[in-house]
C-alpha cells in the first residue's frame, strides 16, 4: 500500500459514511451505498442457473456498457456478503480501474495486489471505523457483540477489533495507568 493510504482511507471512510448520514457508531449498509452510487447489485440466484455451483464466486465487480454492476452471492451468510459487497464498493469509491474483479476464497482475482489491499482496508473502515472500534474496545465489547451489532461475522469483528490496533491500544493505555 502507498505510504499514507491508511490515514487517507480512514478519513475517506468517514466521509462516505457521512454521505449515508451515518454517525460514527452506526452500522454500515453497502447496499445503501451502492444505491447512492447508482450501482446495481445482482444476486447470483437471479443471474446463474440453479444448477451452477453455489461457491463459484462470492462477489464480483463487472463493468457493463454504461457502468458497473456488483454480483452478490446470496447463498452465502449475510455477514460475509456484507463484507464482500463493501470490498467491491471500495473499489468503486477508490476509482480502481480494471476489467473485472472477482472475489473468491483467495480474494479478488485481479493482478493488482495493492488495489486488493486498499479495497479490503477501506471496506473494514466503512463497516467499522477505527475510532468506533476504539470506543468499543474501551467498553470491553466482545467480538460476538460487535459482530451482532454490525451485521458481520465474529471472524470479521475480531479482525476489525484486533488488526485495526484498537484493542491493543486500549490494553496498552490501561497497563500504563496501573
Ligand atoms: Zn477486490
Amino acid at each position: 500500500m502507498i505510504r499514507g493510504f491508511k490515514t487517507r482511507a480512514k478519513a475517506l471512510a468517514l466521509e462516505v459514511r457521512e454521505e449515508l448520514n451515518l454517525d460514527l457508531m452506526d452500522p454500515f449498509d453497502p447496499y445503501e451505498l451502492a444505491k447512492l452510487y447508482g450501482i446495481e447489485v445482482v444476486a447470483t440466484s437471479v443471474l446463474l442457473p440453479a444448477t451452477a455451483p453455489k461457491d463459484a464466486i462470492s462477489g464480483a465487480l463487472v463493468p457493463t456498457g454504461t457502468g458497473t454492476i456488483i454480483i452478490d452471492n446470496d447463498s452465502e451468510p449475510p455477514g460475509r456478503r456484507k463484507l464482500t459487497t463493501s470490498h467491491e464498493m471500495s473499489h468503486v469509491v477508490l476509482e480502481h480501474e480494471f476489467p473485472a474483479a472477482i472475489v473468491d476464497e483467495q480474494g479478488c482475482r485481479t493482478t493488482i495486489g495493492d488495489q486488493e489491499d486498499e479495497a479490503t482496508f477501506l471496506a473494514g473502515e466503512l463497516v467499522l471505523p477505527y475510532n468506533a472500534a476504539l470506543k468499543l474496545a474501551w467498553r470491553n465489547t466482545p467480538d460476538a457483540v460487535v459482530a451482532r451489532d454490525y451485521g458481520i461475522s465474529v471472524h470479521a469483528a475480531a479482525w476489525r477489533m484486533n488488526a485495526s490496533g484498537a484493542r491493543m491500544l486500549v490494553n496498552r493505555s490501561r497497563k500504563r495507568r496501573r
Side-chain angles (χ1 to χ4, degrees):
M1 266 184 274
I2 299 166
R3 214 182 134 89
F5 173 79
K6 288 187 177 182
T7 307
R8 267 201 303 124
K10 283 178 186 175
L12 180 60
L14 295 180
E15 277 172 35
V16 170
R17 288 172 55 89
E18 222 164 83
E19 287 177 45
L20 293 168
N21 297 316
L22 298 179
D23 286 329
L24 179 65
M25 305 305 285
D26 288 338
F28 169 76
D29 182 351
Y31 300 98
E32 284 298 315
L33 183 63
K35 211 184 286 173
L36 186 73
Y37 276 62
I39 288 175
E40 198 184 345
V41 180
V42 185
T44 47
S45 63
V46 175
L47 201 69
L48 301 174
T51 50
K54 295 267 179 281
D55 57 354
I57 52 168
S58 72
L61 192 61
V62 180
T64 62
T66 49
T68 305
I69 61 164
I70 286 176
I71 296 170
D72 174 29
N73 188 340
D74 55 350
S75 72
E76 293 198 332
R80 172 137 189 202
R81 290 170 60 195
K82 184 169 187 169
L83 209 57
T84 302
T85 307
S86 300
H87 174 102
E88 298 301 355
M89 276 310 297
S90 293
H91 280 304
V92 174
V93 170
L94 292 166
E95 298 179 341
H96 288 164
E97 280 178 30
F98 44 84
I102 298 181
V103 177
D104 59 12
E105 292 303 319
Q106 283 77 46
C108 287
R109 291 174 193 154
T110 64
T111 50
I112 310 167
D114 257 11
Q115 294 197 344
E116 290 318 312
D117 291 347
E118 288 179 5
T120 297
F121 186 86
L122 182 60
E125 287 295 324
L126 285 170
V127 168
L128 181 58
Y130 174 70
N131 286 341
L134 211 49
K135 280 198 181 179
L136 294 167
W138 278 115
R139 292 176 197 163
N140 295 321
T141 312
D143 292 342
V145 174
V146 175
R148 186 199 63 200
D149 291 352
Y150 288 85
I152 52 179
S153 68
V154 176
H155 180 81
W159 167 60
R160 283 310 296 154
M161 296 303 294
N162 294 311
S164 70
R167 285 213 200 275
M168 199 166 63
L169 188 105
V170 167
N171 289 339
R172 268 198 212 137
S173 308
R174 281 187 178 139
K175 266 183 206 148
R176 232 177 279 136
R177 282 187 197 172
R178 268 183 215 149

